[in-house]
Amino acid sequence: MLRKEVAVSTRTLQWKCVESRTDSKRLYYGRFVLSPLMKGQADTIGIAMRRALLGEIEGTCITHAKSEKIPHEYSTIGGIEESVHEILMNLKEVVLRSNLYGTCDASICVKGPGKITAKDILSPPSVEIVDTTQHIASLTEPINLCIGLQIERNRGYRMKKPNNAQNGSYPIDAVFMPVRNANHSIHSYGNGNEKQEILFLEIWTNGSLTPKEALHEASRNLIDLFIPFLHSEEQDITLELEDNQNRVILPLFIFHEGLAKLKKNEIALKCIFIDQSELPSRIYNCLKRSNIHTLLDLLNKSQEDLLKIEHFRIEDVKRILGILQKHFVIDLPKKKFEI
């Protein structure tokens, strides 16, 4: 029955989504297979992918709440059913999706009586609330409640520090991870030296990403981590000692030289990733979210194409052109050539 569900090729690796469902606005599920793999490869890939899914993907959440009327985190406010601590815990559960770089401000300003939900959060256009029904507080009297919020995009999990409240600003435990859980399992078939494996990956997300998007993002992050080992020669490592502390500073891994020779080699261009350049992180993230990952992807775009990217500016295009000129003595066309 398994072989009917998963078509196994003995020639090339193939992946497929065999199950996808949305259990709620904040719980997506996907099940994927990769095959055929040699004995032991499924476990190698499965462990690496699980770690990348849970720890390497960026997410967006509320990290601070501020109000001048709040004396301390465990206080109560007249006319509000929940305590301040309960409100902060509810804000922690708000799921956001964004193309944010760094941090931005948002707010809640509501007059009671009534219930406050995530729908009442006033946020920048770059931030989208995944589930607007998330409960935040209940106002039982006609009072005004105004809360300032700080939204941040990052990765992993960051616990608030105790007694870290300043000027009425209270930190919130930040769960940036869009992947809530990930599992892998292995099915083996064949005998002896002909034994092969099928890798099954299960991914649960909070709704800010689909499992397929999470799989793509985790795969790209893993590839980026191993790019330095693809360089033809090892790089010298500069050791620098500061304040009697051992710090190892690695030189920037720059683009390969001699692009003119590589232009005829499409495979070589695919191996040169944009994170090997001197691009600022904001420009790099814009390109990455537009599926521009390699130098080949970039050279297939015109200046006009780049300006159509969300949040991209003319200064960003000039920065890219400067790097291409510096390392490769080439330019991007202003407009795409049309046949």
Side-chain angles (χ1 to χ4, degrees):
M1 175 146 186
L2 182 63
R3 295 197 180 186
K4 291 181 180 180
E5 182 180 0
V6 182
V8 177
S9 169
T10 58
R11 295 181 181 178
T12 58
L13 281 176
Q14 295 181 341
W15 75 277
K16 182 180 179 181
C17 178
V18 294
E19 185 178 355
S20 178
R21 67 173 186 262
T22 302
D23 294 330
S24 67
K25 290 183 178 179
R26 292 186 290 170
L27 185 59
Y28 287 19
Y29 172 80
R31 188 165 180 253
F32 307 87
V33 295
L34 178 67
S35 66
L37 295 164
M38 297 175 61
K39 185 178 180 181
Q41 289 182 336
D43 206 33
T44 300
I45 298 173
I47 293 172
M49 283 301 300
R50 186 177 187 275
R51 292 181 67 90
L53 285 163
L54 294 173
E56 297 293 331
I57 302 179
E58 291 186 345
T60 306
C61 64
I62 299 171
T63 56
H64 283 81
K66 183 176 182 179
S67 178
E68 297 177 354
K69 296 183 178 180
I70 301 177
H72 58 83
E73 180 179 347
Y74 296 98
S75 62
T76 57
I77 301 175
I80 301 179
E81 188 174 309
E82 292 82 3
S83 67
V84 173
H85 178 73
E86 289 173 326
I87 294 175
L88 295 177
M89 291 300 99
N90 290 336
L91 289 171
K92 176 183 174 181
E93 296 298 321
V94 176
V95 178
L96 303 173
R97 173 171 40 224
S98 79
N99 292 322
L100 184 66
Y101 303 98
T103 62
C104 71
D105 294 328
S107 63
I108 298 175
C109 289
V110 178
K111 183 176 181 179
K115 294 186 180 294
I116 301 176
T117 65
K119 183 180 179 182
D120 297 306
I121 297 176
L122 303 175
S123 60
S126 59
V127 178
E128 177 187 348
I129 300 169
V130 173
D131 183 8
T132 57
T133 64
Q134 168 63 39
H135 178 74
I136 296 175
S138 298
L139 304 183
T140 58
E141 298 179 11
I143 61 171
N144 292 320
L145 178 64
C146 291
I147 303 175
L149 305 174
Q150 185 181 77
I151 296 174
E152 182 178 345
R153 182 179 176 87
N154 211 316
R155 66 178 187 174
Y157 179 79
R158 186 173 67 210
M159 292 184 64
K160 64 180 181 180
K161 296 180 181 179
N163 303 322
N164 197 29
Q166 296 180 353
N167 300 322
S169 178
Y170 296 88
I172 300 172
D173 289 339
V175 184
F176 296 107
M177 302 177 293
V179 176
R180 289 299 183 232
N181 195 12
N183 289 328
H184 81 278
S185 57
I186 301 168
H187 171 72
S188 300
Y189 62 96
N191 297 312
N193 294 331
E194 300 297 325
K195 200 165 188 179
Q196 293 182 313
E197 297 177 339
I198 300 175
L199 172 65
F200 291 84
L201 278 171
E202 293 182 290
I203 302 172
W204 290 263
T205 70
N206 65 357
S208 62
L209 284 180
T210 65
K212 187 176 180 180
E213 290 172 334
L215 184 65
H216 181 274
E217 186 72 13
S219 301
R220 174 57 55 193
N221 288 340
L222 278 177
I223 291 172
D224 289 347
L225 289 174
F226 288 103
I227 282 299
F229 295 112
L230 296 179
H231 197 243
S232 57
E233 296 180 1
E234 60 183 284
Q235 299 290 317
D236 292 332
I237 298 178
T238 302
L239 297 178
E240 181 177 313
L241 299 178
E242 290 186 5
D243 301 329
N244 297 324
Q245 294 181 353
N246 293 329
R247 290 177 51 191
V248 179
I249 299 179
L250 299 177
L252 286 175
F253 184 63
I254 61 173
F255 272 117
H256 298 187
E257 296 180 354
L259 179 66
K261 296 180 181 179
L262 294 176
K263 270 191 170 182
K264 297 179 182 180
N265 192 339
E266 185 173 309
I267 296 177
L269 292 178
K270 286 181 179 179
C271 292
I272 305 177
F273 288 80
I274 59 173
D275 60 348
Q276 298 168 246
S277 69
E278 301 167 354
L279 292 171
S281 59
R282 194 188 70 80
I283 299 178
Y284 165 72
N285 287 329
C286 278
L287 294 175
K288 191 174 179 181
R289 289 187 177 89
S290 298
N291 291 322
I292 300 174
H293 304 292
T294 67
L295 186 56
L296 182 63
D297 297 334
L298 183 58
L299 293 179
N300 285 331
K301 300 292 182 180
S302 66
Q303 298 179 37
E304 187 178 51
D305 293 331
L306 295 181
L307 287 173
K308 292 178 181 178
I309 297 176
E310 188 177 8
H311 306 303
F312 224 68
R313 304 173 302 200
I314 185 65
E315 292 81 5
D316 302 331
V317 175
K318 290 180 179 178
R319 184 69 178 268
I320 292 175
L321 295 177
I323 290 176
L324 291 176
Q325 281 288 339
K326 176 181 176 181
H327 294 290
F328 314 123
V329 198
I330 61 171
D331 203 350
L332 292 177
K334 291 186 177 181
K335 294 186 177 181
K336 195 165 231 179
F337 178 75
E338 295 182 2
I339 300 177

